[in-house]
Amino acid sequence: MAPGGLVAEGGEEKGGVKAALSGLTTRGRSFLAAGIAAAVCAYVLGQSDLLRVGLLLAVLPLICVAVLYRTRYRVAGSRRLSPSRVPAGSEARVQLRMDNVTRMPTGLLMLQDHVPYVLGPRPRFVLDRVEPGGRREVSYRVRSDLRGRYPLGPLQLRLSDPFGMCELTRSFSAYDTLIVVPRTEPLPPVRFGGEASGYGEGRQRSLALAGEDDVIPRGYRHGDDLRRVHWRSTARYGELMVRREEQPQRARCTVLLDTRRSAYQGAGPDSAFEWAVSGAASALVHLLERGFAVRLLTDTGSSMPGEGADGYAGATQESADSAGLMMDTLAVVEHSDGTDLSPAYAVLRDGTEGLLVAFFGDLDEEQTAVAARMRQRSAVAVAFVLDSTGWTQGAGPAGPVEDRLRQLREAGWTALAVPSGATLPELWQLAARQRSESAVTGGTTGFSGGWS
């Protein structure tokens, strides 16, 4: 759980004493009015005893205001969010803790945390008297069916004195952020042609030693086989140097997400665009778990993580960090105003891709041609094409969509239409089956590394 700083010690509140006096309750205002009236009557009638009573009635709420105005800053709070990143439709727990850091007890405390309306109703809590040095903890849950980044806070605290004369509201400035990422579905392990070995089904091996004149040595480590000592490098560097072992080369994959506004119709959690975003997230998670070096690419040409070797997610801990970065990107990805896939193609043609998994919206003839050229830079290309018109109407793929699929398949893609209500795991297996059948008939070039 990540702590959020909500400290209310020291400082001045805008409005000063005027703001404090505005916090007088009905009881406090009544006491103040009665005291002033009694003091005026005592002055007119010359009654000193009545004057003392009036002063007492008037001073009591003012003392409560002064005490509350000072002590309210000595209440500290903290917020813990667990977890800070959740899939759409899942719950996160928010725990609030209030600490009384003064030497005197507090009165009634009323807490209210500000949350976006999509996360549920605004939570409110009433805390009884908190003893000196004591603490109180409350919690609530938030849930959203819509992905995004949602601020939690600021926390609003309403304090009252023990006599109920004054209530003051204090808003803390700190807040936390809940990241709601797209839903992901576990995908079945499948093979897209060829025999596989290594990382999952897609690792390739390359020799670091290409020849006696092209050796890449490293320093000797305890336990290394002395038969691997490279004597020429040892003589050159003055220390034992050994030949590197075969180094695993992680199979690379690019997940392409088409975000063009013109390519999708409809909105909401069940729209075609949200299905594409969720599908891209599922593919990223699946491929990272299988040991692939993965990057996320959009139609605008922007890619994630954008660092590391060739812009792909690195290994081990770097993969986890890169996966979090890509999921955070998908949590807030929106429609682009572009109408062309050429920026994405420009990124792809910079180097040969291993595996390309694309999620396309509606494709016209020109954009289909651009997508077809992407296949030339990848060993295996799989496309999921969404017909947003048929998606909103609950109908199957229309004639133009079948024509686009045919053009992509002729270019070497394994292309499938995504009808309304389809699930990615089923389409994942169908794509593997389609590619296997195509490889048997010689329709496409097999991927020598395979993948799963």
Side-chain angles (χ1 to χ4, degrees):
M1 296 191 297
L6 296 174
V7 181
E9 297 183 58
E12 293 292 334
E13 188 176 76
K14 188 175 181 180
V17 177
K18 183 178 180 180
L21 291 174
S22 65
L24 283 173
T25 62
T26 302
R27 179 185 299 178
R29 295 176 188 273
S30 300
F31 268 66
L32 182 61
I36 294 175
V40 171
C41 293
Y43 177 78
V44 173
L45 300 176
Q47 297 292 328
S48 58
D49 293 338
L50 182 59
L51 178 61
R52 283 192 287 270
V53 172
L55 292 177
L56 176 62
L57 292 176
V59 169
L60 181 59
L62 296 179
I63 293 176
C64 292
V65 168
V67 172
L68 193 61
Y69 185 72
R70 289 177 56 84
T71 60
R72 78 187 195 281
Y73 294 106
R74 308 299 299 280
V75 178
S78 64
R79 180 192 295 108
R80 292 182 181 272
L81 178 61
S82 175
S84 59
R85 182 190 291 118
V86 296
S90 299
E91 289 186 342
R93 184 186 181 195
V94 183
Q95 184 175 7
L96 304 176
R97 191 182 77 181
M98 303 304 301
D99 294 274
N100 181 13
V101 296
T102 64
R103 296 181 178 179
M104 53 188 306
T106 69
L108 195 66
L109 298 180
M110 286 164 281
L111 300 179
Q112 176 177 278
D113 208 6
H114 290 261
V115 300
Y117 71 95
V118 297
L119 298 182
R122 184 169 295 177
R124 294 181 175 89
F125 304 94
V126 178
L127 303 181
D128 292 332
R129 174 180 175 275
V130 182
E131 65 279 3
R135 68 175 56 171
R136 297 290 185 272
E137 293 185 357
V138 293
S139 64
Y140 64 94
R141 295 184 179 275
V142 290
R143 178 182 180 273
S144 174
D145 292 327
L146 299 175
R147 56 186 176 81
R149 294 173 61 93
Y150 300 103
L152 300 179
L155 179 67
Q156 191 177 72
L157 175 64
R158 179 175 293 180
L159 305 173
S160 64
D161 66 280
F163 299 102
M165 297 288 182
C166 181
E167 288 184 354
L168 294 179
T169 300
R170 167 66 170 164
S171 293
F172 297 86
S173 59
Y175 63 91
D176 289 285
T177 301
L178 174 67
I179 302 177
V180 181
V181 300
R183 294 186 183 94
T184 59
E185 298 179 281
L187 302 181
V190 296
R191 180 176 300 179
F192 278 70
E195 295 301 327
S197 61
Y199 277 114
E201 300 293 338
R203 184 173 67 175
Q204 301 173 342
R205 288 186 173 272
S206 62
L207 290 176
L209 178 59
E212 190 67 19
D213 297 327
D214 193 28
V215 67
I216 305 177
R218 62 167 175 82
Y220 176 83
R221 299 171 185 168
H222 179 71
D224 284 338
D225 190 345
L226 292 178
R227 289 175 296 182
R228 292 175 43 234
V229 173
H230 190 258
W231 298 108
R232 182 178 297 180
S233 297
T234 298
R236 179 184 301 174
Y237 294 104
E239 60 176 328
L240 279 178
M241 305 292 290
V242 297
R243 295 183 177 89
R244 292 181 184 270
E245 297 176 338
E246 286 186 351
Q247 299 297 320
Q249 179 180 344
R250 304 177 82 203
R252 301 192 305 177
C253 173
T254 296
V255 176
L256 172 61
L257 175 62
D258 181 8
T259 64
R260 296 171 300 138
R261 187 183 304 276
S262 58
Y264 298 95
Q265 298 180 18
D270 298 327
S271 64
F273 179 66
E274 292 301 324
W275 192 99
V277 174
S278 179
S282 299
L284 286 170
V285 172
H286 175 78
L287 294 168
L288 283 170
E289 290 176 349
R290 293 298 182 271
F292 278 75
V294 183
R295 69 173 172 180
L296 171 66
L297 178 66
T298 66
D299 59 289
T300 61
S302 61
S303 62
M304 289 290 170
E307 299 178 356
D310 301 324
Y312 289 81
T316 58
Q317 182 61 36
E318 293 180 2
S319 286
D321 296 339
S322 299
L325 177 60
M326 289 186 284
M327 293 299 288
D328 290 350
T329 300
L330 289 176
V332 296
V333 68
E334 298 293 344
H335 288 294
S336 68
D337 295 327
T339 59
D340 194 0
L341 295 173
S342 296
Y345 172 69
V347 175
L348 290 174
R349 68 181 180 183
D350 287 341
T352 301
E353 306 296 324
L355 171 65
L356 175 60
V357 180
F359 294 85
F360 292 120
D362 294 333
L363 296 173
D364 56 23
E365 186 173 353
E366 180 181 355
Q367 299 311 310
T368 302
V370 176
R373 291 197 299 270
M374 295 179 183
R375 172 63 181 86
Q376 301 171 2
R377 294 296 179 176
S378 61
V380 172
V382 182
F384 300 94
V385 182
L386 291 92
D387 176 19
S388 60
T389 302
W391 189 277
T392 56
Q393 297 176 356
V401 177
E402 293 295 343
D403 292 339
R404 307 301 181 229
L405 293 174
R406 178 181 52 79
Q407 296 177 42
L408 292 176
R409 290 165 183 162
E410 290 176 352
W413 282 85
T414 300
L416 289 87
V418 181
S420 176
T423 62
L424 185 58
E426 295 176 351
L427 295 175
W428 199 256
Q429 289 183 319
L430 182 59
R433 191 158 54 246
Q434 182 183 113
R435 176 162 179 80
S436 298
E437 294 172 355
S438 180
V440 170
T441 59
T444 59
T445 302
F447 180 32
S448 59
W451 66 287
S452 66

